[in-house]
Amino acid sequence: MQAIMSMDGIIGAIISAIFSIFVTWKIAKSDSSQKNDILQAQLRTAESDLRESKEHAEKLRGELNSLKNQVAKLCEYEKKHGEMKKKLQAGGVIKEYTQPVLLVGPRFIGKTSLLMQWHAPWDHSRLSATRTHHTSMVPIYDFKRDNVEPHFADPDILTDVHVHLKLKVHDFPGEIDSQHNIIAQAKKETLELRKKTGKRLGIVLICMFDAEEADKGVSPATIEYYNGELFSNLRQLVGHNEIGIERL
């Protein structure tokens, strides 16, 4: 009987030990599974972070290449701009100032001869009487200003200013009926001159006479011409500001 009880105790102890081992194994297995899951999750996270890092690195590489291309273009642009700036500075700015001049007087008084002396003094060929109104640009004086000013193409570029002074000379036929055209041209030139300069400037009116008349007396043709439409109305035209006269 005692042997049976002893055997039962041994069996119970064995079963208890087996159960204990099983529980311990189960717990160990569960803990290992949890650790494995955690490690796998960490591995997936690490793989995801690595992919994102690679994608971010690739994106940064693309942006860097784009910036390099932009820098190269900017360097090329800067070089071209520098060359253009040098050319603009070297070329300077040309400004033209033109003074309208009207030559008036009767026929064969020498208006065209005077114009040719200004326009082409080397030309000594015989001149015919003026039949129609015409104009000529006569250079008077060219000079460079002492001070520089911003270039019209780029205000940051300071450049020399070369000034060209010119006369715009109108030569009219000596017939009295041409005086209506003289009035029209005087009005037009006054308006354009004031528009360009923003100042109340006017034309230069040169009235020509035959020098011999100082000795022989004023001829009827000269008297008739200077009693014509232009001179009869000149004071009124100036007074109404239709014509500006800078010099007479």
Side-chain angles (χ1 to χ4, degrees):
M1 191 71 161
Q2 290 179 351
I4 293 171
M5 289 178 64
S6 178
M7 182 64 69
D8 289 341
I10 293 170
I11 293 171
I14 293 171
I15 291 172
S16 177
I18 292 172
F19 180 75
S20 177
I21 292 169
F22 175 77
V23 171
T24 302
W25 174 81
K26 197 71 175 174
I27 292 171
K29 182 179 179 182
S30 177
D31 184 59
S32 176
S33 177
Q34 288 178 355
K35 289 181 177 179
N36 186 50
D37 290 342
I38 292 172
L39 287 173
Q40 287 183 352
Q42 291 177 343
L43 180 61
R44 286 193 295 270
T45 301
E47 289 176 346
S48 177
D49 291 344
L50 181 60
R51 283 195 302 270
E52 290 180 359
S53 296
K54 287 182 177 179
E55 291 174 356
H56 185 61
E58 191 66 28
K59 182 180 179 181
L60 289 176
R61 191 177 294 109
E63 291 177 353
L64 180 61
N65 290 334
S66 177
L67 287 174
K68 286 181 178 179
N69 292 334
Q70 291 179 18
V71 169
K73 289 181 180 179
L74 287 174
C75 289
E76 183 179 356
Y77 173 79
E78 183 182 16
K79 181 180 178 182
K80 289 182 179 179
H81 182 265
E83 293 174 353
M84 181 186 71
K85 184 176 180 179
K86 288 180 180 179
K87 290 179 180 178
L88 290 176
Q89 285 177 329
V93 174
I94 296 176
K95 290 191 174 182
E96 292 188 354
Y97 295 94
T98 303
Q99 172 63 56
V101 177
L102 276 64
L103 293 178
V104 299
R107 287 169 55 84
F108 307 113
I109 207 71
K111 300 186 296 297
T112 305
S113 297
L114 176 60
L115 172 59
M116 291 304 296
Q117 284 298 308
W118 287 340
H119 185 64
W122 57 86
D123 187 354
H124 301 287
S125 59
R126 186 177 181 82
L127 301 173
S128 57
T130 301
R131 298 181 180 275
T132 59
H133 160 240
H134 66 273
T135 61
S136 294
M137 299 299 294
V138 180
I140 297 298
Y141 185 57
D142 296 341
F143 66 95
K144 186 179 76 172
R145 284 183 179 172
D146 294 333
N147 58 314
V148 295
E149 69 176 43
H151 198 284
F152 64 87
D154 187 345
D156 293 332
I157 299 175
L158 298 178
T159 185
D160 293 327
V161 180
H162 301 274
V163 179
H164 295 175
L165 300 180
K166 297 181 178 181
L167 299 180
K168 183 180 181 182
V169 184
H170 294 258
D171 184 16
F172 296 93
E175 287 78 12
I176 295 178
D177 58 5
S178 295
Q179 291 188 11
H180 69 279
N181 188 30
I182 298 175
I183 294 173
Q185 291 299 324
K187 290 180 179 179
K188 179 182 175 183
E189 290 292 354
T190 299
L191 181 63
E192 290 183 357
L193 186 62
R194 291 177 176 178
K195 186 177 180 180
K196 287 179 180 178
T197 62
K199 298 180 179 180
R200 293 178 61 83
L201 300 177
I203 63 171
V204 172
L205 184 63
I206 298 180
C207 303
M208 298 189 65
F209 297 83
D210 187 343
E212 291 183 354
E213 294 183 0
D215 179 53
K216 297 180 180 179
V218 181
S219 68
T222 300
I223 294 173
E224 183 183 11
Y225 184 86
Y226 285 108
N227 282 326
E229 179 184 2
L230 170 63
F231 300 95
S232 297
N233 301 322
L234 193 57
R235 182 184 295 273
Q236 182 180 359
L237 292 167
V238 174
H240 290 171
N241 206 29
E242 295 181 71
I243 293 177
I245 297 181
E246 201 68 24
R247 294 285 188 276
L248 176 59

